[in-house]
Amino acid sequence: MNERIYQFALWLDGKASSTALHESFYMYNWIESTHVLALMISLGMLFLIDLRMLGLALPSVPATTVAQKLNVPMLIGFSVMMVTGLLLFYAIPVRTSQSLWFRIKFVLLIAAAVNALLFHRRMRAAPAGWDTAPRAPGNLRLGAALSLAFWVGIVICGRFIAYDWYDCREEPAALIAALAGCIPGQEVF
Amino acid sequence: MAIPFGRTLACALLLAVGLGFALSNARVEAWQALLPLFEWMETTLFGVIGKTWGGVFAVVQAGHLLSMAMLGGAVLAADGRLLGVLFRDQPLAAVQAQAHRVFVWSLVVVVFTGVFMACGVAIKIYYLPVFWYKMLALLVGVLFAFLVRRPLLADDPETLSPLVRRVVAVASIMVWFTVAATGRWIGFSG
């Protein structure tokens, strides 16, 4: 599996546009800035929804209204974040695919997506009239708390990707190397 | 006795003073006088932790980012209501008051984590123009939020003309966007 990921990353790395993107100071930084600013929109909306469920924000606005109204800007923000995130990966494919933090972030993103699906399913199944209460029912509060925790983890891991602590080039301990997908004898990092 | 257009005059005076400061030699003198403060910041506990433990610095950076996201959410929710694109069926005053509470808490965390980060790289950011642009934008944002936006919407925001509401909302979004964008650019500079 790691060998396939490495080969795929090498293939991407061989593209002229990948190198051009990586080496373009302004383009790369614009994309990264857009990624972070889109995060402000999407996470800002998501956090308001989660905090509303926990009874910590906008308590007089019905919870379903908060969720429905903020869903659109949140999804727009997520879309921009996804596109710019893919471009950032494309610019530095080998190092990123072998980053322990990127891999944890990826797992957390999947967990957050599954949690969001379950959350919306539970919200639709909740008995009528719950959304005017200052706090949502227990299962929705759990979903909101998990969402907050996953996204805090995602942002921390995203920040850690910039650091080279466990890069394959640094020859980390065997367990870290296995988790990061380092390939023995690899020449491209 | 209340002065007619008191707040407008106060804002105009503040802008004139700011402009005078920016265009005169006082700006450079103030910048030079601040160097000892930035040198001291690096010797504080925050400065030592920030410089010694990259992991702690990165976690605080993430906290800064998360609180900026929360602040952005509060600003967009409140200004979205002012613009009439969000929560149109909810009372304007209630949405403003509740979003303002989230805004204030987020701002406290933004400033605290920002001060921590600044201590770790104080001398570096002292020489970065973009850091000062961010501080200026932050100052404008805070003054605007507490001295213009809040008093304007405190009484009965429904009575404000739609044009004033829109201008306030757009100005607010623009200034906080500038704070976030210049903050991001600090990471690319130096």
Side-chain angles (χ1 to χ4, degrees), chain B residues 172-187:
Chain B
S172 168
I173 290 171
M174 281 173 70
V175 75
W176 290 108
F177 174 81
T178 308
V179 173
T182 47
R184 188 75 277 278
W185 213 256
I186 290 174

Side-chain angles (χ1 to χ4, degrees), chain A residues 3 7 16 35 37 50 56 69 73-74 82 85 90 104 117 131-132 138 169 175 180 184:
Chain A
E3 180 65 39
Q7 290 303 328
H35 189 66
L37 293 173
D50 289 340
L56 298 171
K69 300 289 179 189
M74 182 182 78
M82 194 65 79
Y90 181 64
I104 298 173
L117 283 175
D131 66 337
T132 50
R169 189 195 294 271
L175 178 65

Side-chain angles (χ1 to χ4, degrees), chain B residues 53-142:
Chain B
W53 289 291
V56 177
F57 189 83
V59 169
V60 175
Q61 263 186 330
H64 192 68
L65 207 58
L66 288 163
S67 50
M68 274 303 288
M70 193 68 260
L71 187 141
V75 167
L76 287 177
D79 292 331
R81 176 64 186 88
L82 276 183
L83 288 169
V85 293
L86 286 173
F87 308 127
R88 260 180 293 192
D89 52 345
Q90 299 299 316
L92 185 53
V95 173
Q96 296 306 315
Q98 291 169 21
H100 186 75
R101 219 167 293 149
V102 179
F103 169 83
V104 170
W105 279 109
S106 310
L107 185 63
V108 168
V109 184
V110 164
V111 171
F112 179 77
T113 50
V115 167
F116 181 96
M117 286 157 55
C119 286
V121 287
I123 300 297
K124 178 190 158 191
I125 55 172
Y126 174 81
Y127 290 104
L128 285 180
V130 73
F131 166 74
W132 296 103
Y133 300 153
K134 168 157 177 162
M135 290 303 103
L136 184 62
L138 182 65
L139 181 69
V140 170
V142 170

Side-chain angles (χ1 to χ4, degrees), chain A residues 108-129:
Chain A
L108 287 173
L109 275 170
I110 293 170
V114 171
N115 182 57
L117 283 175
L118 292 174
F119 179 84
H120 281 279
R121 193 176 292 176
R122 284 181 198 144
M123 201 163 71
R124 279 196 296 271

Side-chain angles (χ1 to χ4, degrees), chain A residues 61-142:
Chain A
V61 184
T64 47
T65 304
V66 174
Q68 284 164 4
K69 300 289 179 189
L70 300 187
N71 211 30
V72 175
M74 182 182 78
L75 290 177
I76 293 171
F78 274 131
S79 306
V80 176
M81 210 162 64
M82 194 65 79
V83 171
T84 49
L86 285 171
L87 285 171
L88 290 175
F89 179 87
Y90 181 64
I92 312 174
V94 177
R95 181 182 176 268
T96 310
S97 65
Q98 291 186 325
S99 160
L100 179 66
W101 303 113
F102 176 77
R103 289 180 172 216
I104 298 173
K105 180 180 175 175
F106 196 77
V107 171
L108 287 173
L109 275 170
I110 293 170
V114 171
N115 182 57
L117 283 175
L118 292 174
F119 179 84
H120 281 279
R121 193 176 292 176
R122 284 181 198 144
M123 201 163 71
R124 279 196 296 271
W130 67 272
D131 66 337
T132 50
R135 291 202 313 166
N139 60 348
L140 290 176
R141 290 207 306 276
L142 176 68

Side-chain angles (χ1 to χ4, degrees), chain B residues 42-58:
Chain B
E42 286 210 352
T43 66
T44 60
L45 183 64
F46 283 177
V48 174
I49 293 173
K51 277 191 292 187
T52 314
W53 289 291
V56 177
F57 189 83

